[in-house]
Protein backbone atom coordinates (compact mmCIF):
# COMPACT_ATOMS: atom_id res chain seq x y z
CA UNK A 1 0.00 0.00 0.00
CA UNK A 2 1.35 3.42 -0.87
CA UNK A 3 1.85 6.05 1.78
CA UNK A 4 -1.05 8.06 0.51
CA UNK A 5 -3.35 5.08 0.68
CA UNK A 6 -2.11 4.36 4.16
CA UNK A 7 -2.89 7.86 5.32
CA UNK A 8 -6.32 7.60 3.80
CA UNK A 9 -6.92 4.27 5.47
CA UNK A 10 -5.70 5.57 8.83
CA UNK A 11 -7.94 8.56 8.50
CA UNK A 12 -10.81 6.13 8.16
CA UNK A 13 -9.84 4.06 11.15
CA UNK A 14 -8.98 6.84 13.55
CA UNK A 15 -11.62 9.38 12.59
CA UNK A 16 -13.56 10.01 15.74
CA UNK A 17 -15.32 13.12 14.57
CA UNK A 18 -19.03 12.56 14.63
CA UNK A 19 -21.26 14.48 12.30
CA UNK A 20 -24.78 15.63 12.23
CA UNK A 21 -26.61 16.43 9.05
CA UNK A 22 -29.73 18.39 8.48
CA UNK A 23 -32.90 16.38 8.64
CA UNK A 24 -34.13 15.43 5.24
CA UNK A 25 -36.94 17.94 5.23
CA UNK A 26 -34.18 20.50 4.94
CA UNK A 27 -36.22 22.46 2.45
CA UNK A 28 -38.65 23.30 5.20
CA UNK A 29 -36.49 25.21 7.66
CA UNK A 30 -32.91 26.23 8.00
CA UNK A 31 -31.45 23.90 10.62
CA UNK A 32 -27.77 24.54 10.01
CA UNK A 33 -26.03 27.70 8.84
CA UNK A 34 -25.02 27.72 5.16
CA UNK A 35 -21.67 28.44 3.61
CA UNK A 36 -21.05 29.13 -0.07
CA UNK A 37 -21.56 25.39 -0.68
CA UNK A 38 -24.97 25.03 0.91
CA UNK A 39 -26.00 23.80 4.38
CA UNK A 40 -23.04 23.01 6.62
CA UNK A 41 -22.36 19.92 8.71
CA UNK A 42 -22.10 19.89 12.49
CA UNK A 43 -18.83 18.25 13.55
CA UNK A 44 -18.16 17.20 17.14
CA UNK A 45 -15.83 14.85 18.95
CA UNK A 46 -17.06 11.59 20.38
CA UNK A 47 -16.39 12.93 23.86
CA UNK A 48 -18.30 16.16 23.16
CA UNK A 49 -21.92 17.07 23.04
CA UNK A 50 -23.14 18.25 19.63
CA UNK A 51 -23.62 21.77 21.00
CA UNK A 52 -19.86 21.92 21.74
CA UNK A 53 -18.95 21.20 18.13
CA UNK A 54 -18.73 23.48 15.13
CA UNK A 55 -20.37 23.93 11.77
CA UNK A 56 -18.16 23.57 8.70
CA UNK A 57 -18.39 23.13 4.96
CA UNK A 58 -19.80 19.78 3.84
CA UNK A 59 -17.69 19.61 0.68
CA UNK A 60 -14.35 21.10 1.69
CA UNK A 61 -12.36 20.01 4.71
CA UNK A 62 -9.50 22.27 3.71
CA UNK A 63 -9.78 25.85 4.96
CA UNK A 64 -8.05 27.06 1.80
CA UNK A 65 -11.10 25.94 -0.18
CA UNK A 66 -13.81 27.05 2.22
CA UNK A 67 -13.10 29.17 5.25
CA UNK A 68 -16.50 28.81 6.86
CA UNK A 69 -16.48 27.66 10.47
CA UNK A 70 -18.92 28.54 13.23
CA UNK A 71 -19.01 27.25 16.81
CA UNK A 72 -22.30 25.46 17.36
CA UNK A 73 -23.02 27.70 20.35
CA UNK A 74 -23.08 30.78 18.06
CA UNK A 75 -25.86 29.48 15.85
CA UNK A 76 -29.23 30.59 17.01
CA UNK A 77 -31.12 27.99 15.01
CA UNK A 78 -33.12 30.50 13.06
CA UNK A 79 -36.24 28.88 11.78
CA UNK A 80 -36.34 30.68 8.48
CA UNK A 81 -37.55 28.82 5.46
CA UNK A 82 -34.72 27.50 3.34
CA UNK A 83 -35.19 28.58 -0.24
CA UNK A 84 -34.34 26.40 -3.19
CA UNK A 85 -31.91 28.13 -5.49
CA UNK A 86 -33.48 30.27 -8.17
CA UNK A 87 -30.20 30.94 -9.89
CA UNK A 88 -30.37 29.69 -13.42
CA UNK A 89 -27.85 27.75 -15.43
CA UNK A 90 -25.60 30.24 -17.30
CA UNK A 91 -26.59 28.72 -20.66
CA UNK A 92 -30.33 28.76 -19.92
CA UNK A 93 -31.06 30.93 -22.95
CA UNK A 94 -28.74 29.23 -25.39
CA UNK A 95 -29.92 25.67 -24.87
CA UNK A 96 -29.47 23.82 -28.10
CA UNK A 97 -32.40 21.71 -29.23
CA UNK A 98 -31.62 18.03 -28.75
CA UNK A 99 -28.15 16.90 -27.93
CA UNK A 100 -25.39 18.13 -30.09
CA UNK A 101 -22.20 16.14 -30.16
CA UNK A 102 -19.43 17.51 -27.97
CA UNK A 103 -15.89 16.39 -27.52
CA UNK A 104 -15.42 15.17 -23.94
CA UNK A 105 -13.81 18.16 -22.18
CA UNK A 106 -12.32 15.92 -19.46
CA UNK A 107 -9.84 14.77 -22.09
CA UNK A 108 -8.32 18.23 -22.29
CA UNK A 109 -9.20 20.05 -19.10
CA UNK A 110 -6.84 20.41 -16.18
CA UNK A 111 -8.01 17.94 -13.53
CA UNK A 112 -8.63 19.55 -10.16
CA UNK A 113 -6.11 18.37 -7.62
CA UNK A 114 -6.29 20.72 -4.66
CA UNK A 115 -6.25 18.01 -2.04
CA UNK A 116 -7.25 14.44 -1.24
CA UNK A 117 -10.85 15.53 -0.93
CA UNK A 118 -11.07 17.29 -4.26
CA UNK A 119 -8.84 15.55 -6.74
CA UNK A 120 -10.45 14.55 -10.03
CA UNK A 121 -9.61 11.09 -11.31
CA UNK A 122 -11.02 10.21 -14.70
CA UNK A 123 -12.00 6.66 -15.71
CA UNK A 124 -9.90 4.83 -18.28
CA UNK A 125 -11.47 3.43 -21.44
CA UNK A 126 -11.97 -0.03 -19.90
CA UNK A 127 -13.78 1.30 -16.87
CA UNK A 128 -16.04 3.44 -19.08
CA UNK A 129 -16.87 0.52 -21.36
CA UNK A 130 -17.48 -1.74 -18.37
CA UNK A 131 -19.86 0.71 -16.67
CA UNK A 132 -21.75 1.40 -19.90
CA UNK A 133 -22.05 -2.35 -20.58
CA UNK A 134 -23.51 -3.01 -17.14
CA UNK A 135 -26.07 -0.22 -17.64
CA UNK A 136 -27.11 -1.76 -20.95
CA UNK A 137 -27.26 -5.21 -19.43
CA UNK A 138 -29.53 -3.98 -16.64
CA UNK A 139 -31.81 -2.17 -19.07
CA UNK A 140 -31.08 1.22 -17.51
CA UNK A 141 -32.68 4.11 -19.39
CA UNK A 142 -31.57 7.06 -17.26
CA UNK A 143 -28.30 7.63 -15.45
CA UNK A 144 -27.70 10.33 -12.88
CA UNK A 145 -23.96 10.97 -13.10
CA UNK A 146 -23.14 12.32 -9.65
CA UNK A 147 -19.50 13.39 -9.81
CA UNK A 148 -18.86 11.19 -12.86
CA UNK A 149 -18.36 13.70 -15.70
CA UNK A 150 -16.38 11.47 -18.00
CA UNK A 151 -18.99 8.72 -17.71
CA UNK A 152 -21.62 11.30 -18.63
CA UNK A 153 -19.79 12.25 -21.84
CA UNK A 154 -19.16 8.60 -22.65
CA UNK A 155 -22.82 7.61 -22.26
CA UNK A 156 -24.18 10.56 -24.22
CA UNK A 157 -21.82 9.72 -27.04
CA UNK A 158 -21.93 5.91 -27.03
CA UNK A 159 -25.31 4.89 -25.60
CA UNK A 160 -28.06 6.66 -27.47
CA UNK A 161 -30.76 4.73 -25.62
CA UNK A 162 -29.62 6.07 -22.26
CA UNK A 163 -30.38 9.59 -21.08
CA UNK A 164 -27.92 11.05 -18.66
CA UNK A 165 -27.66 14.06 -16.35
CA UNK A 166 -24.46 15.34 -14.72
CA UNK A 167 -24.42 16.69 -11.16
CA UNK A 168 -20.98 18.04 -10.25
CA UNK A 169 -19.28 20.57 -8.00
CA UNK A 170 -16.97 21.63 -10.82
CA UNK A 171 -18.81 24.49 -12.47
CA UNK A 172 -16.63 24.39 -15.57
CA UNK A 173 -19.03 21.83 -17.02
CA UNK A 174 -21.70 24.51 -17.25
CA UNK A 175 -19.94 25.96 -20.28
CA UNK A 176 -20.13 22.60 -22.10
CA UNK A 177 -23.50 21.25 -21.03
CA UNK A 178 -26.87 22.99 -20.99
CA UNK A 179 -29.42 23.09 -18.13
CA UNK A 180 -31.11 19.91 -19.33
CA UNK A 181 -28.02 17.86 -18.62
CA UNK A 182 -25.95 19.65 -16.02
CA UNK A 183 -26.51 21.20 -12.63
CA UNK A 184 -23.82 22.68 -10.41
CA UNK A 185 -24.27 20.51 -7.35
CA UNK A 186 -22.83 19.47 -4.00
CA UNK A 187 -23.28 15.76 -3.30
CA UNK A 188 -22.21 16.12 0.32
CA UNK A 189 -25.43 17.92 1.23
CA UNK A 190 -27.62 17.41 -1.85
CA UNK A 191 -27.42 21.11 -2.60
CA UNK A 192 -28.34 22.41 -6.06
CA UNK A 193 -26.62 25.70 -6.87
CA UNK A 194 -28.99 26.35 -9.79
CA UNK A 195 -32.72 25.98 -10.16
CA UNK A 196 -33.21 22.23 -9.82
CA UNK A 197 -36.38 21.96 -11.88
CA UNK A 198 -34.62 20.74 -15.06
CA UNK A 199 -33.17 17.90 -12.97
CA UNK A 200 -36.60 17.12 -11.57
CA UNK A 201 -37.93 16.99 -15.13
CA UNK A 202 -35.19 14.51 -15.91
CA UNK A 203 -36.17 12.29 -12.96
CA UNK A 204 -39.84 12.50 -13.78
CA UNK A 205 -40.43 9.76 -16.27
CA UNK A 206 -42.58 7.05 -17.65
CA UNK A 207 -43.07 3.94 -15.54
CA UNK A 208 -40.86 1.99 -17.89
CA UNK A 209 -37.82 4.08 -16.98
CA UNK A 210 -35.04 2.44 -15.04
CA UNK A 211 -32.93 4.97 -13.20
CA UNK A 212 -29.39 4.41 -11.96
CA UNK A 213 -27.18 6.76 -9.95
CA UNK A 214 -23.48 6.44 -10.77
CA UNK A 215 -21.21 8.20 -8.31
CA UNK A 216 -17.45 8.37 -7.81
CA UNK A 217 -17.01 10.74 -4.87
CA UNK A 218 -13.63 12.07 -3.79
CA UNK A 219 -12.19 9.39 -1.52
CA UNK A 220 -11.97 11.76 1.42
CA UNK A 221 -15.75 12.21 1.46
CA UNK A 222 -17.60 10.89 4.47
CA UNK A 223 -19.70 7.90 3.48
CA UNK A 224 -22.53 9.08 5.75
CA UNK A 225 -22.93 12.17 3.61
CA UNK A 226 -23.00 10.31 0.32
CA UNK A 227 -25.42 7.70 1.68
CA UNK A 228 -27.69 10.43 3.01
CA UNK A 229 -27.71 12.13 -0.38
CA UNK A 230 -28.44 8.87 -2.20
CA UNK A 231 -31.42 8.33 0.08
CA UNK A 232 -32.63 11.90 -0.51
CA UNK A 233 -32.40 11.49 -4.29
CA UNK A 234 -34.35 8.25 -4.10
CA UNK A 235 -37.05 9.97 -2.08
CA UNK A 236 -37.16 12.85 -4.55
CA UNK A 237 -37.48 10.42 -7.45
CA UNK A 238 -40.21 8.43 -5.72
CA UNK A 239 -42.13 11.59 -4.83
CA UNK A 240 -41.90 13.11 -8.32
CA UNK A 241 -43.16 9.91 -9.88
CA UNK A 242 -45.76 9.34 -7.17
CA UNK A 243 -44.59 5.83 -6.51
CA UNK A 244 -44.26 4.18 -3.11
CA UNK A 245 -40.81 3.54 -1.58
CA UNK A 246 -38.79 2.14 -4.46
CA UNK A 247 -35.03 1.87 -4.51
CA UNK A 248 -32.94 3.23 -7.38
CA UNK A 249 -30.02 1.25 -8.74
CA UNK A 250 -26.72 2.59 -7.47
CA UNK A 251 -23.14 2.30 -8.69
CA UNK A 252 -20.91 3.78 -6.00
CA UNK A 253 -17.27 3.69 -6.96
CA UNK A 254 -14.95 3.69 -3.95
CA UNK A 255 -11.81 2.00 -2.56
CA UNK A 256 -12.34 -1.53 -1.24
CA UNK A 257 -11.12 -0.57 2.22
CA UNK A 258 -14.19 1.62 2.66
CA UNK A 259 -16.28 -1.58 2.55
CA UNK A 260 -17.32 -1.53 6.21
CA UNK A 261 -18.19 2.15 6.10
CA UNK A 262 -20.43 1.77 3.08
CA UNK A 263 -22.03 -1.38 4.56
CA UNK A 264 -22.75 0.46 7.76
CA UNK A 265 -24.59 3.19 5.88
CA UNK A 266 -26.21 1.04 3.22
CA UNK A 267 -26.29 -2.65 4.18
CA UNK A 268 -27.84 -3.53 0.83
CA UNK A 269 -24.64 -2.59 -1.01
CA UNK A 270 -22.29 -5.32 -2.19
CA UNK A 271 -18.82 -4.99 -3.66
CA UNK A 272 -18.02 -6.24 -7.14
CA UNK A 273 -14.57 -7.59 -7.90
CA UNK A 274 -14.13 -5.39 -10.96
CA UNK A 275 -11.05 -3.16 -10.65
CA UNK A 276 -11.73 0.44 -11.65
CA UNK A 277 -8.77 2.16 -13.30
CA UNK A 278 -8.16 5.83 -14.00
CA UNK A 279 -6.11 7.55 -16.69
CA UNK A 280 -4.58 10.34 -14.64
CA UNK A 281 -3.69 8.56 -11.45
CA UNK A 282 -0.80 6.13 -11.41
CA UNK A 283 -1.76 4.72 -8.03
CA UNK A 284 -5.19 3.80 -9.25
CA UNK A 285 -4.25 2.29 -12.55
CA UNK A 286 -2.65 -0.85 -13.86
CA UNK A 287 -0.17 0.80 -16.19
CA UNK A 288 2.98 2.81 -15.70
CA UNK A 289 6.00 2.48 -13.44
CA UNK A 290 4.23 3.59 -10.32
CA UNK A 291 1.22 1.35 -10.79
CA UNK A 292 0.34 -0.72 -7.78
CA UNK A 293 1.55 -4.30 -7.71
CA UNK A 294 -1.97 -5.60 -7.21
CA UNK A 295 -3.84 -3.21 -9.42
CA UNK A 296 -6.31 -0.55 -8.47
CA UNK A 297 -7.87 -0.62 -4.98
CA UNK A 298 -11.02 0.99 -6.38
CA UNK A 299 -14.18 -1.09 -6.71
CA UNK A 300 -17.81 -0.88 -7.69
CA UNK A 301 -20.29 -1.01 -4.80
CA UNK A 302 -23.86 -1.65 -5.83
CA UNK A 303 -27.33 -2.57 -4.63
CA UNK A 304 -27.87 -4.49 -7.89
CA UNK A 305 -27.52 -8.23 -7.15
CA UNK A 306 -23.96 -9.12 -8.16
CA UNK A 307 -25.07 -12.04 -10.31
CA UNK A 308 -26.82 -9.53 -12.56
CA UNK A 309 -23.53 -7.91 -13.48
CA UNK A 310 -21.30 -9.47 -16.07
CA UNK A 311 -17.58 -9.11 -15.72
CA UNK A 312 -16.60 -11.88 -18.08
CA UNK A 313 -16.73 -9.66 -21.14
CA UNK A 314 -13.70 -7.94 -19.64
CA UNK A 315 -10.22 -9.36 -19.69
CA UNK A 316 -9.06 -10.89 -16.41
CA UNK A 317 -12.45 -11.90 -15.03
CA UNK A 318 -14.22 -15.24 -14.75
CA UNK A 319 -17.41 -16.79 -13.41
CA UNK A 320 -17.24 -18.81 -10.19
CA UNK A 321 -19.96 -21.48 -10.37
CA UNK A 322 -19.75 -22.18 -6.62
CA UNK A 323 -20.36 -18.54 -5.65
CA UNK A 324 -22.53 -17.93 -8.70
CA UNK A 325 -20.90 -14.60 -9.33
CA UNK A 326 -18.32 -13.01 -11.55
CA UNK A 327 -14.97 -12.43 -10.01
CA UNK A 328 -11.38 -11.55 -10.82
CA UNK A 329 -9.40 -14.26 -12.61
CA UNK A 330 -6.83 -14.16 -9.81
CA UNK A 331 -9.26 -15.09 -7.03
CA UNK A 332 -9.49 -18.69 -6.01
CA UNK A 333 -12.51 -20.26 -4.44
CA UNK A 334 -11.79 -21.36 -0.87
CA UNK A 335 -13.82 -24.40 0.10
CA UNK A 336 -13.11 -23.85 3.78
CA UNK A 337 -14.57 -20.33 3.67
CA UNK A 338 -17.14 -21.27 1.09
CA UNK A 339 -16.41 -18.21 -1.03
CA UNK A 340 -13.96 -16.55 -3.36
CA UNK A 341 -11.76 -14.56 -1.07
CA UNK A 342 -9.61 -11.78 -2.34
CA UNK A 343 -10.11 -8.11 -1.80
CA UNK A 344 -7.37 -6.40 -3.64
CA UNK A 345 -6.26 -8.62 -6.46
CA UNK A 346 -3.91 -10.66 -4.29
CA UNK A 347 -4.31 -14.39 -3.92
CA UNK A 348 -5.43 -15.03 -0.38
CA UNK A 349 -4.37 -17.99 1.69
CA UNK A 350 -6.52 -19.78 4.23
CA UNK A 351 -5.28 -19.50 7.82
CA UNK A 352 -6.64 -22.29 10.01
CA UNK A 353 -6.00 -20.33 13.21
CA UNK A 354 -7.93 -17.33 11.92
CA UNK A 355 -10.55 -19.60 10.38
CA UNK A 356 -10.60 -17.45 7.26
CA UNK A 357 -8.64 -16.41 4.21
CA UNK A 358 -6.04 -13.70 4.80
CA UNK A 359 -3.66 -11.60 2.75
CA UNK A 360 -0.71 -13.70 1.57
CA UNK A 361 1.97 -11.60 3.24
CA UNK A 362 0.28 -11.56 6.65
CA UNK A 363 1.66 -13.51 9.59
CA UNK A 364 -0.39 -14.94 12.42
CA UNK A 365 -0.07 -13.30 15.85
CA UNK A 366 -1.02 -15.72 18.66
CA UNK A 367 -1.58 -12.83 21.02
CA UNK A 368 -4.04 -11.10 18.75
CA UNK A 369 -5.54 -14.35 17.41
CA UNK A 370 -5.37 -12.85 13.95
CA UNK A 371 -3.10 -12.62 10.95
CA UNK A 372 -1.68 -9.17 10.48
CA UNK A 373 1.07 -7.15 8.85
CA UNK A 374 4.56 -8.28 9.72
CA UNK A 375 6.01 -4.81 10.20
CA UNK A 376 5.08 -2.31 12.88
CA UNK A 377 2.61 -4.59 14.61
CA UNK A 378 1.86 -3.44 18.15
CA UNK A 379 -0.53 -5.88 19.78
CA UNK A 380 -2.37 -3.43 22.07
CA UNK A 381 -2.85 -0.85 19.32
CA UNK A 382 -3.93 -3.48 16.83
CA UNK A 383 -6.39 -5.05 19.25
CA UNK A 384 -7.95 -1.69 20.03
CA UNK A 385 -9.07 -1.49 16.41
CA UNK A 386 -10.44 -5.01 16.02
CA UNK A 387 -14.01 -6.17 15.98
CA UNK A 388 -14.57 -8.83 18.64
CA UNK A 389 -15.63 -12.21 17.26
CA UNK A 390 -17.75 -12.81 20.35
CA UNK A 391 -19.78 -9.69 21.04
CA UNK A 392 -19.29 -7.95 17.72
CA UNK A 393 -18.17 -4.62 19.11
CA UNK A 394 -15.02 -2.80 18.13
CA UNK A 395 -12.08 -2.13 20.44
CA UNK A 396 -10.99 -5.48 21.81
CA UNK A 397 -10.46 -9.12 20.90
CA UNK A 398 -12.22 -12.19 22.28
CA UNK A 399 -9.81 -12.98 25.10
CA UNK A 400 -10.48 -9.52 26.59
CA UNK A 401 -14.22 -9.56 26.03
CA UNK A 402 -16.52 -8.96 28.99
CA UNK A 403 -18.76 -11.64 27.62
CA UNK A 404 -16.01 -14.24 27.90
CA UNK A 405 -16.02 -13.89 31.68
CA UNK A 406 -19.71 -14.71 31.73
CA UNK A 407 -19.27 -17.57 29.29
CA UNK A 408 -16.64 -19.03 31.57
CA UNK A 409 -19.01 -18.73 34.52
CA UNK A 410 -21.64 -20.73 32.74
CA UNK A 411 -19.19 -23.33 31.59
CA UNK A 412 -15.79 -24.11 32.98
CA UNK A 413 -13.48 -24.25 30.02
CA UNK A 414 -9.80 -24.56 29.50
CA UNK A 415 -9.08 -21.67 27.22
CA UNK A 416 -5.80 -22.35 25.62
CA UNK A 417 -5.21 -18.94 24.14
CA UNK A 418 -5.81 -18.75 20.46
CA UNK A 419 -5.75 -22.47 19.86
CA UNK A 420 -9.44 -23.22 20.00
CA UNK A 421 -12.88 -21.72 19.86
CA UNK A 422 -13.49 -19.98 23.17
CA UNK A 423 -17.12 -20.99 23.18
CA UNK A 424 -16.97 -24.74 22.59
CA UNK A 425 -13.31 -25.62 22.81
CA UNK A 426 -13.08 -27.21 19.36
CA UNK A 427 -10.13 -26.44 17.18
CA UNK A 428 -11.60 -26.46 13.70
CA UNK A 429 -13.27 -23.05 13.82
CA UNK A 430 -13.27 -19.77 15.69
CA UNK A 431 -16.09 -18.07 17.61
CA UNK A 432 -17.55 -16.37 14.55
CA UNK A 433 -18.69 -19.66 13.12
CA UNK A 434 -19.34 -21.63 16.30
CA UNK A 435 -22.51 -23.74 16.16
CA UNK A 436 -23.10 -23.06 19.84
CA UNK A 437 -23.31 -19.30 19.45
CA UNK A 438 -27.07 -19.33 19.87
CA UNK A 439 -26.64 -20.88 23.34
CA UNK A 440 -24.92 -17.69 24.43
CA UNK A 441 -26.13 -14.98 22.13
CA UNK A 442 -29.40 -13.67 20.89
CA UNK A 443 -28.51 -12.58 17.38
CA UNK A 444 -30.78 -10.72 15.05
CA UNK A 445 -30.01 -9.46 11.63
CA UNK A 446 -31.88 -6.60 10.06
CA UNK A 447 -30.95 -5.34 6.60
CA UNK A 448 -27.47 -6.81 6.92
CA UNK A 449 -26.80 -5.21 10.29
CA UNK A 450 -26.28 -7.61 13.15
CA UNK A 451 -27.33 -7.05 16.74
CA UNK A 452 -25.68 -9.37 19.25
CA UNK A 453 -27.09 -9.72 22.76
CA UNK A 454 -25.56 -11.91 25.44
CA UNK A 455 -28.21 -14.20 26.87
CA UNK A 456 -26.42 -14.02 30.24
N1 LIG B 1 -14.06 8.98 -12.34
C1 LIG B 1 -15.01 10.04 -12.62
C2 LIG B 1 -14.56 11.33 -11.99
C3 LIG B 1 -14.38 11.22 -10.49
S1 LIG B 1 -13.49 12.56 -9.82
C4 LIG B 1 -15.16 10.16 -14.13
O1 LIG B 1 -14.23 9.84 -14.84
O2 LIG B 1 -16.24 10.53 -14.60
C5 LIG B 1 -14.66 13.21 -8.68
C6 LIG B 1 -15.67 14.13 -9.33
O3 LIG B 1 -16.55 14.58 -8.30
C7 LIG B 1 -15.05 15.36 -9.95
O4 LIG B 1 -15.63 15.63 -11.19
C8 LIG B 1 -15.36 16.47 -8.93
O5 LIG B 1 -15.52 17.74 -9.55
C9 LIG B 1 -16.65 15.99 -8.36
N2 LIG B 1 -16.89 16.43 -6.97
C10 LIG B 1 -15.98 16.60 -5.98
N3 LIG B 1 -16.59 16.97 -4.84
C11 LIG B 1 -17.92 17.03 -5.13
C12 LIG B 1 -19.08 17.39 -4.36
N4 LIG B 1 -19.00 17.72 -3.07
N5 LIG B 1 -20.27 17.37 -4.98
C13 LIG B 1 -20.37 17.02 -6.30
N6 LIG B 1 -19.31 16.69 -7.06
C14 LIG B 1 -18.11 16.71 -6.49
ZN1 LIG C 1 -10.55 -19.60 3.23
ZN1 LIG D 1 -4.12 -16.26 10.99
ZN1 LIG E 1 -0.33 -9.07 18.10
ZN1 LIG F 1 -16.25 -8.57 22.79
Amino acid sequence: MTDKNKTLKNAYQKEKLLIQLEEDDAEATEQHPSCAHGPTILFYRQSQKPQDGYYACSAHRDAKLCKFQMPASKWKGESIKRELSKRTHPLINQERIGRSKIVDPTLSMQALEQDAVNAQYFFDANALAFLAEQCQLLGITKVVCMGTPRLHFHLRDKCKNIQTFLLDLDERFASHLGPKEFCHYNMCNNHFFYDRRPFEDFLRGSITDRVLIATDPPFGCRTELIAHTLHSLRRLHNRLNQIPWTPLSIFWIYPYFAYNYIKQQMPEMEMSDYLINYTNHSRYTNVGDESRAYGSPVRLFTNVPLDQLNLTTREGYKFCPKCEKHTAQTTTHCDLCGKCSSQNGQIYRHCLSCDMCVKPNYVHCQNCRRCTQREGHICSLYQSMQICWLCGSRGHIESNCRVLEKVKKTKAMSTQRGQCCLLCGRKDHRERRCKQRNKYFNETEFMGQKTIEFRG
Side-chain angles (χ1 to χ4, degrees):
M1 197 171 271
T2 60
D3 285 348
K4 191 169 173 199
N5 271 335
K6 229 178 231 166
T7 326
L8 212 58
K9 198 170 171 179
N10 286 347
Y12 269 98
Q13 287 170 344
K14 301 217 180 98
E15 184 71 90
K16 290 230 175 65
L17 268 187
L18 302 183
I19 59 174
Q20 187 183 302
L21 292 78
E22 287 206 339
E23 296 293 318
D24 200 42
D25 259 334
E27 282 98 333
T29 55
E30 200 147 325
Q31 302 157 34
H32 291 191
S34 281
C35 66
H37 308 95
T40 55
I41 304 292
L42 177 56
F43 291 90
Y44 60 101
R45 305 224 161 268
Q46 210 159 28
S47 55
Q48 282 179 326
K49 292 197 183 83
Q51 55 266 36
D52 298 327
Y54 61 92
Y55 293 101
C57 181
S58 65
H60 301 294
R61 301 291 295 280
D62 183 340
K64 281 194 284 265
L65 300 172
C66 181
K67 286 199 297 288
F68 188 95
Q69 236 194 60
M70 183 196 275
S73 55
K74 283 252 168 71
W75 172 247
K76 296 289 170 263
E78 294 146 48
S79 56
I80 17 173
K81 201 166 182 304
R82 193 182 293 288
E83 300 277 336
L84 287 178
S85 176
K86 294 211 176 61
R87 251 180 78 209
T88 52
H89 187 293
L91 298 185
I92 189 81
N93 296 318
Q94 324 169 14
E95 172 81 280
R96 288 152 289 202
I97 315 278
R99 299 195 156 203
S100 50
K101 187 168 166 69
I102 5 177
V103 177
D104 177 357
T106 65
L107 294 169
S108 54
M109 66 196 250
Q110 178 75 40
L112 299 179
E113 46 188 31
Q114 292 112 319
D115 66 359
V117 184
N118 280 281
Q120 278 175 326
Y121 301 134
F122 297 120
F123 296 130
D124 76 353
N126 277 324
L128 289 172
F130 166 74
L131 294 169
E133 257 166 38
Q134 305 314 312
C135 289
Q136 299 283 21
L137 206 67
L138 298 168
I140 299 298
T141 57
K142 286 184 178 171
V143 178
V144 177
C145 286
M146 189 166 102
T148 51
R150 186 171 280 180
L151 179 64
H152 174 79
F153 291 103
H154 180 83
L155 292 173
R156 85 196 283 289
D157 186 34
K158 296 284 182 328
C159 306
K160 303 289 182 218
N161 56 339
I162 296 179
Q163 280 179 275
T164 157
F165 197 107
L166 175 63
L167 299 173
D168 202 285
L169 189 61
D170 186 346
E171 203 175 3
R172 291 179 296 176
F173 295 113
S175 56
H176 301 273
L177 301 164
K180 287 188 181 152
E181 50 177 328
F182 174 73
C183 191
H184 184 207
Y185 174 79
N186 180 358
M187 64 167 112
C188 295
N189 57 5
N190 191 28
H191 178 70
F192 291 78
F193 294 88
Y194 309 150
D195 180 2
R196 80 174 190 195
R197 277 172 301 185
F199 177 69
E200 293 185 355
D201 291 341
F202 173 81
L203 282 187
R204 215 176 271 124
S206 63
I207 19 175
T208 52
D209 265 329
R210 283 190 165 203
V211 183
L212 178 136
I213 305 179
T215 186
D216 185 6
F219 302 150
C221 259
R222 297 276 297 224
T223 49
E224 297 98 311
L225 301 181
I226 307 300
H228 190 263
T229 290
L230 290 170
H231 287 138
S232 303
L233 289 178
R234 186 200 60 215
R235 245 189 310 269
L236 177 65
H237 170 270
N238 289 182
R239 182 161 59 74
L240 290 171
N241 292 290
Q242 297 173 322
I243 47 175
W245 191 96
T246 312
L248 298 179
S249 303
I250 295 168
F251 284 176
W252 178 347
I253 290 140
Y254 232 47
Y256 73 84
F257 46 77
Y259 181 89
N260 290 332
Y261 292 85
I262 293 185
K263 269 285 191 197
Q264 219 166 31
Q265 304 303 321
M266 303 179 81
E268 67 277 23
M269 300 292 269
E270 291 297 340
M271 187 178 81
S272 160
D273 275 345
Y274 184 77
L275 274 59
I276 303 277
N277 286 303
Y278 299 92
T279 51
N280 59 332
H281 199 304
S282 54
R283 286 191 198 88
Y284 300 133
T285 189
N286 55 355
V287 290
D289 296 342
E290 270 189 90
S291 75
R292 302 175 73 254
Y294 307 112
S296 169
V298 183
R299 299 290 183 276
L300 170 68
F301 291 86
T302 182
N303 56 355
V304 171
L306 290 184
D307 61 3
Q308 289 189 28
L309 302 181
N310 188 356
L311 278 59
T312 50
T313 57
R314 305 270 116 213
E315 213 175 301
Y317 297 90
K318 64 169 186 208
F319 183 77
C320 173
K322 290 182 186 161
C323 294
E324 293 183 342
K325 67 165 198 173
H326 298 86
T327 164
Q329 200 95 60
T330 48
T331 58
T332 42
H333 187 90
C334 174
D335 285 322
L336 293 165
C337 290
K339 60 179 186 194
C340 283
S341 18
S342 155
Q343 266 202 325
N344 61 347
Q346 301 181 61
I347 299 171
Y348 276 33
R349 119 191 115 72
H350 192 89
C351 170
L352 285 170
S353 306
C354 285
D355 187 23
M356 65 175 155
C357 278
V358 297
K359 289 187 184 177
N361 54 336
Y362 275 19
V363 286
H364 193 84
C365 173
Q366 293 291 355
N367 238 343
C368 297
R369 308 182 82 233
R370 283 154 177 73
C371 279
T372 168
Q373 277 164 326
R374 200 182 299 264
E375 277 158 44
H377 175 77
I378 302 166
C379 291
S380 58
L381 184 67
Y382 179 78
Q383 291 183 16
S384 72
M385 297 188 296
Q386 297 308 301
I387 290 177
C388 174
W389 294 343
L390 282 166
C391 73
S393 49
R394 191 186 283 281
H396 60 266
I397 62 162
E398 306 69 51
S399 32
N400 296 325
C401 183
R402 283 180 306 120
V403 165
L404 184 63
E405 293 306 308
K406 299 184 193 161
V407 170
K408 278 191 199 147
K409 265 182 215 151
T410 57
K411 183 180 180 181
M413 195 193 297
S414 72
T415 49
Q416 236 186 319
R417 258 195 170 185
Q419 297 306 313
C420 60
C421 169
L422 298 178
L423 289 174
C424 73
R426 283 179 55 153
K427 294 191 174 176
D428 62 350
H429 63 260
R430 289 297 168 269
E431 301 75 25
R432 294 188 313 278
R433 298 209 286 184
C434 182
K435 292 212 169 60
Q436 299 196 11
R437 278 191 77 82
N438 61 0
K439 244 166 83 179
Y440 301 102
F441 301 103
N442 201 350
E443 293 179 88
T444 46
E445 205 169 317
F446 181 66
M447 307 256 313
Q449 224 144 345
K450 217 177 213 175
T451 317
I452 305 175
E453 236 172 72
F454 185 62
R455 287 187 195 276

